[in-house]
């Protein structure tokens, strides 16, 4: 019987295990690579738990600060993704407890984290998020995608978009609504992403 081969994650072309070892030796570049790769997904993950993006960002940032201060809490031969998401999950739950959230709410969140896909760490790494979003955007008609991009990614108001594209404001609103409907369908297991739209 053949022995299972463990596939090593590469970040910036460097094996994750090597980055962990370098970070433990005080290499700031290695730390920054790990931070940039995992931070966006960890924030979305924490937001699912604490239901507040600002609090989620603060929790994740604080976690990385403590990780930098105590890098040997990481073991280079253990899965880094599992460690990071478990740590952030625990910090998020502790935050809810400190905020005196009712016990039954906390228990319900714990139950959901054990059973629902949106709490699976595999869906939150930066590259995976980008792939899901890119695939979902291919489902949008060209005009709808153009209007949605101007609205959500370039920050234009509906009036500005209507003026720029020579459309009525009502048409712009309808196209944005249609885009959200399509994205909700395509990203049904990633609905928290829509909070950032």
């Amino acid at each position: 019987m053949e022995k299972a081969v463990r596939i090593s994650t590469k970040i910036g072309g460097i094996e994750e295990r090597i980055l962990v070892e370098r970070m433990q030796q005080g290499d700031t570049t290695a730390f920054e690579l790990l931070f940039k790769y995992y931070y966006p997904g960890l924030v979305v993950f924490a937001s699912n738990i604490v239901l507040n993006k600002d609090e989620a960002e603060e929790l994740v940032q604080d976690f990385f600060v403590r990780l930098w201060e105590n890098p040997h809490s990481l073991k280079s031969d253990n899965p880094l993704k599992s460690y990071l998401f478990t740590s952030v999950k625990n910090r998020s739950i502790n935050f809810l407890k400190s905020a005196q959230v009712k016990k039954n709410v906390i228990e319900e969140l714990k139950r959901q984290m054990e059973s629902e896909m949106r709490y699976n760490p595999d869906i939150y790494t930066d590259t995976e998020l980008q792939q899901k979003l890119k695939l979902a955007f291919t489902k949008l008609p060209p005009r709808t995608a153009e209007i949605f991009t101007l609205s959500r990614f370039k920050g234009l108001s509906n009036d500005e978009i209507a003026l720029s594209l020579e459309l009525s404001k009502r048409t712009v609103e309808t196209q944005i609504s249609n885009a959200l409907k399509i994205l909700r369908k395509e990203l049904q297991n990633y609905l928290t992403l829509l909070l950032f739209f």
Side-chain angles (χ1 to χ4, degrees), residues 90-144:
N90 291 338
R91 282 177 174 271
S92 300
I93 291 173
N94 288 338
F95 167 79
L96 292 178
K97 287 179 178 177
S98 67
Q100 298 183 335
V101 178
K102 290 183 179 180
K103 183 179 178 181
N104 62 336
V105 175
I106 295 171
E107 291 303 317
E108 175 63 15
L109 283 169
K110 286 181 179 177
R111 184 193 67 76
Q112 290 183 14
M113 279 187 283
E114 294 301 322
S115 62
E116 296 192 19
M117 181 179 287
R118 68 173 178 268
Y119 294 100
N120 180 352
D122 288 338
I123 69 173
Y124 291 102
T125 56
D126 188 35
T127 53
E128 288 161 349
L129 285 176
Q130 290 175 357
Q131 289 170 1
K132 295 296 180 184
L133 284 170
K134 285 179 181 177
L135 182 60
F137 265 80
T138 64
K139 307 294 184 180
L140 298 179
R143 188 59 131 181
T144 303

Side-chain angles (χ1 to χ4, degrees), residues 21-86:
E21 291 173 353
R22 282 171 48 179
M23 187 190 75
Q24 291 173 332
Q25 295 166 6
D27 187 330
T28 56
T29 300
F31 174 77
E32 287 173 5
L33 283 170
L34 291 169
F35 176 84
K36 289 178 181 177
Y37 184 80
Y38 281 109
Y39 177 78
L42 285 168
V43 169
V44 177
F45 179 71
S47 295
N48 263 312
I49 302 172
V50 301
L51 306 180
N52 183 303
K53 186 175 178 244
D54 291 336
E55 294 291 355
E57 288 180 342
E58 189 172 333
L59 282 165
V60 176
Q61 288 167 10
D62 181 65
F63 167 71
F64 272 104
V65 168
R66 294 180 184 276
L67 182 62
W68 174 248
E69 292 173 344
N70 184 27
H72 293 285
S73 59
L74 281 176
K75 304 296 182 185
S76 60
D77 56 343
N78 288 339
L80 177 60
K81 182 189 287 185
S82 176
Y83 173 81
L84 295 179
F85 281 90
T86 299

